[in-house]
Amino acid sequence: YNAIWRWPDVRSDAEMALGGLHNLKTTFLKAVAASSGPDMSLAESGTTTWLLSGTTDITFTATNEGDDATFAIVYVTVDITSNVYYDSHSATGWTAEYSIDNGSNYSGSAPGDLTTVTNVRFNRNDVLDATESYPGITVTFESHTIGDSTITADVSTTGDTDALNDDLTVNITIQQAPTAVADSGYSVAASATLTVLDDAAGDLMLNDTLGYPVATIVSFGAGDLGGTVDDNSAGATVGLLDGDVTVNANGSFVINAPSTPGSYSFDYK
């Protein structure tokens, strides 16, 4: 409807009240009768690099991108990736409905086993001014599997996933920190060369937990090399025992022509 309501200057109280009702009804019908609904956009905030066995918040925000105020039922659906569990949410003014992996739905309260939640759909019935945003929906996820994955969300004004106004994909990397384990048992004769190849027995990283993304050596030093572990970049050649040592990013290393007998050590990172 695009009617413009005009009234005489002289009206009874009843006429003025009726005029107000008609004007409100016209606005209401115009909003709900729109074929495509208001122009909605969805934004998110939060980090996309997570640590294994930690919790991370992402806040999803729906905005009316149209030129006019709108009255609509707005739905925001957040799909849970296989790498994370649903933990909780904070969404002032929104009603939540949970779907779990056996196809059941729960409205108002979460199911007992949160690890089975596959998506959470939020809805609210509201009037939103042009370019105004609804209060954000903050969802807390618990990461449980390392690797790369995505969390998807969409916003619509119908609840029909085939009639979306906007959607987004949040790319996440769930990381696991590496753990280094001390290495020992190497020996080399004076003036000889010890070469340990990548993936061979004795490779410096062969007994380490490399985490995700897979770690490499970035630096080495300290011990009998002096200084700190950060002093020499991987691939550098440094003097040791009147000879030298080279430590590579892949864990291979070479001790070349040492001349002073004894036991020695260095650190890598």
Side-chain angles (χ1 to χ4, degrees):
Y1 288 79
N2 293 302
I4 299 175
W5 294 91
R6 302 183 185 277
W7 296 89
D9 291 338
V10 180
R11 303 181 259 177
S12 67
D13 290 342
E15 286 176 328
M16 293 180 69
L18 182 60
L21 288 174
H22 274 278
N23 200 18
L24 176 61
K25 185 175 181 180
T26 299
T27 303
F28 174 81
L29 289 176
K30 179 180 178 181
V32 299
S35 59
S36 61
D39 297 323
M40 301 295 298
S41 69
L42 192 63
E44 60 87 15
S45 63
T47 179
T48 56
T49 302
W50 304 359
L51 292 179
L52 182 65
S53 300
T55 58
T56 303
D57 292 344
I58 294 182
T59 299
F60 302 90
T61 304
T63 301
N64 177 12
E65 297 288 2
D67 296 327
D68 301 310
T70 185
F71 179 96
I73 300 177
V74 175
Y75 300 87
V76 175
T77 303
V78 180
D79 291 316
I80 314 300
T81 175
S82 60
N83 289 52
V84 301
Y85 294 139
Y86 165 79
D87 182 87
S88 61
H89 73 265
S90 174
T92 303
W94 295 85
T95 299
E97 178 183 89
Y98 308 82
S99 295
I100 64 175
D101 57 12
N102 67 6
S104 300
N105 292 318
Y106 293 82
S107 297
S109 61
D113 183 2
L114 298 180
T115 65
T116 64
V117 174
T118 57
N119 67 64
V120 185
R121 188 173 79 163
F122 303 89
N123 69 81
R124 65 185 293 140
N125 198 334
D126 211 345
V127 177
L128 198 63
D129 291 335
T131 70
E132 184 181 5
S133 298
Y134 289 102
I137 301 166
T138 300
V139 180
T140 301
F141 302 91
E142 179 181 347
S143 53
H144 69 91
T145 305
I146 61 174
D148 299 321
S149 191
T150 59
I151 292 174
T152 60
D154 59 62
V155 58
S156 71
T157 53
T158 64
D160 179 359
T161 55
D162 293 328
L164 303 180
N165 295 112
D166 195 15
D167 56 14
L168 66 83
T169 299
V170 182
N171 297 307
I172 61 172
T173 296
I174 299 178
Q175 297 183 332
Q176 183 181 37
T179 302
V181 177
D183 306 274
S184 61
Y186 304 105
S187 63
V188 58
S191 300
T193 298
L194 171 66
T195 300
V196 176
L197 300 176
D198 176 29
D199 288 332
D203 173 345
L204 292 175
M205 296 196 299
L206 205 60
N207 61 343
D208 297 340
T209 300
L210 300 183
Y212 187 86
V214 175
T216 59
I217 293 176
V218 295
S219 62
F220 66 102
D224 290 292
L225 293 179
T228 72
V229 71
D230 297 310
D231 284 350
N232 309 293
S233 298
T237 299
V238 181
L240 176 67
L241 313 180
D242 296 325
D244 55 61
V245 59
T246 303
V247 178
N248 299 308
N250 59 13
S252 63
F253 68 98
V254 177
I255 297 177
N256 181 54
S259 62
T260 305
S263 296
Y264 302 92
S265 68
F266 62 85
D267 297 340
Y268 65 92
K269 177 180 177 181

